Amino acid sequence: MRAQDSATATTTITVTTADRTGGTGGAGGEESTVRAPTGGTVPTGGTARTRGARNTAATDTSGSRTDPLPRGTLLAALGVLSFSLTFPSTVWGLESFGPWSLVAVRSTLAALVAGAFLLVGRVPLPERRHWAGLAVVACGVVIGFPLLTTLALQTSTTSHAAVVVGLLPLTTAAFAALRTRRRPSRTFWCAAVSGAVVVLAFTVQQSGGAVSQGDLYLFGALLVCAAGYTEGGRLARLMPGWHVIGWALILCLPLMAVGSAVALSVEPVHLNAHGVIGLVWVAVGSTFFGLYVWYRGMASIGIPKASQLQLAQPLLTLVWSVALLGETLPLAAPLAAVAVLVCIAVTQRAKS
């Protein structure tokens, strides 16, 4: 474009436009030049500083804005904190409900809460092109992961399951790289793989090298959850995070409502305080609130970096397993905690 001013000479201004494509939150960009009556550099979304003139606002060519990095990291970390209570809450819920009943009822309750928020907010239906992605989220994080982990927790301890699921960050980063065709840096991958190796070594050491049926359920849960996280993180860049999980839950509501009726009629129910608290938390705390802040965080800082924050999740769950369930904390846990936290620090600094 050309800007003319009869009182000044025409000079060149460099405009930097941010690359907002992809789902990893990387900050690539390209530069172009425009002609203007005064010199200076105009960053997109910022201000134009000119000689002898006031600053003028520049337009963000992307037409949108992302949350600041610290806020996105805080939201993703809050999601991890919510998820860290999922396994202990599931164990509590199994005191009152069978595994199929617990999964169906938690999803039904979460869908009702989400539906109430969507109605109050008068949120319109998603565009047709988003429904396939929402179906992936629904199958991965609303049905697949809760069901497989609940079945695993019938035979596995909370601490063991938490460490196995510690491989989720690396699995999510791999799915994100394939889905978005963006490649994190070598440093990022080295730190991520190192964290996964620490978690895997911890798991093998605690289980004596044997792979149980519960472990197979957990490995399956890793795959479906990573796919759901990746697709949900992509959609959260196009719509609010609570819309993503809200519509994914609504999509599952008919199936989960029928499943609740059938499962409750077949499996015995023994209500107690632990069972009710566990059910309420996995339905509202983990499934709705946790996924809402998690997807918001992923949309802000990118899927690979957000996924690495989950390396802290098994360590937090170990703490809850001791405090809430009275399980014995493995001696290797403190060493694993230090190693994993170092890996998290490296991945957060590495360019994605």
Side-chain angles (χ1 to χ4, degrees):
M1 80 183 157
R2 299 187 65 84
Q4 302 294 334
D5 190 327
S6 59
T8 58
T10 301
T11 57
T12 300
I13 294 178
T14 300
V15 179
T16 302
T17 58
D19 178 8
R20 295 292 301 267
T21 61
T24 61
E30 55 181 283
E31 293 185 349
S32 60
T33 59
V34 297
R35 311 295 295 181
T38 54
T41 300
V42 183
T44 301
T47 60
R49 184 173 300 277
T50 62
R51 298 174 183 174
R54 291 183 179 180
N55 294 342
T56 57
T59 303
D60 186 346
T61 58
S62 67
S64 60
R65 59 186 290 272
T66 56
D67 294 333
L69 177 61
R71 182 184 178 189
T73 302
L74 178 62
L75 288 172
L78 189 57
V80 170
L81 179 61
S82 299
F83 298 152
S84 70
L85 283 162
T86 300
F87 286 175
S89 298
T90 299
V91 172
W92 275 10
L94 287 172
E95 293 183 15
S96 295
F97 303 93
W100 296 91
S101 299
L102 181 61
V103 172
V105 173
R106 71 179 275 185
S107 298
T108 301
L109 291 179
L112 294 176
V113 172
F117 275 88
L118 292 171
L119 285 175
V120 171
R122 297 182 179 180
V123 178
L125 288 172
E127 298 178 26
R128 182 179 299 178
R129 62 192 177 98
H130 296 326
W131 281 108
L134 290 171
V136 174
V137 176
C139 292
V141 303
V142 177
I143 299 177
F145 185 80
L147 177 60
L148 292 172
T149 54
T150 300
L151 292 174
L153 286 171
Q154 290 188 289
T155 56
S156 299
T157 64
T158 299
S159 56
H160 179 81
V163 179
V164 173
V165 175
L167 293 175
L168 183 58
L170 181 59
T171 311
T172 303
F175 268 84
L178 294 174
R179 180 67 176 85
T180 63
R181 298 183 181 179
R182 299 285 297 272
R183 296 296 183 267
S185 67
R186 188 172 299 176
T187 301
F188 178 94
W189 280 115
C190 287
V193 171
S194 298
V197 168
V198 170
V199 171
L200 186 59
F202 183 85
T203 305
V204 172
Q205 187 268 333
Q206 290 298 308
S207 63
V211 177
S212 64
Q213 183 179 11
D215 290 327
L216 295 178
Y217 283 137
L218 292 171
F219 289 138
L222 287 176
L223 296 178
V224 297
C225 190
Y229 278 173
T230 300
E231 198 63 21
R234 184 188 68 81
L235 289 173
R237 297 177 66 86
L238 306 174
M239 64 178 75
W242 72 278
H243 290 192
V244 175
I245 185 57
W247 288 116
L249 285 165
I250 293 299
L251 193 60
C252 295
L253 180 57
L255 176 62
M256 291 295 99
V258 174
S260 297
V262 173
L264 288 173
S265 65
V266 174
E267 295 179 332
V269 176
H270 306 286
L271 293 180
N272 58 32
H274 279 178
V276 173
I277 293 173
L279 172 63
V280 171
W281 178 259
V282 294
V284 181
S286 299
T287 306
F288 182 71
F289 173 76
L291 288 171
Y292 162 63
V293 294
W294 173 245
Y295 284 142
R296 280 289 304 275
M298 279 201 295
S300 178
I301 65 177
I303 297 172
K305 281 191 175 182
S307 68
Q308 300 315 302
L309 290 174
Q310 282 198 308
L311 286 171
Q313 183 176 326
L315 307 173
L316 291 172
T317 302
L318 288 176
V319 174
W320 299 130
S321 68
V322 173
L324 301 178
L325 304 178
E327 294 185 3
T328 302
L329 184 67
L331 296 177
L335 294 178
V338 173
V340 168
L341 290 176
V342 169
C343 292
I344 291 176
V346 174
T347 57
Q348 293 305 295
R349 288 181 171 272
K351 181 180 178 181
S352 61

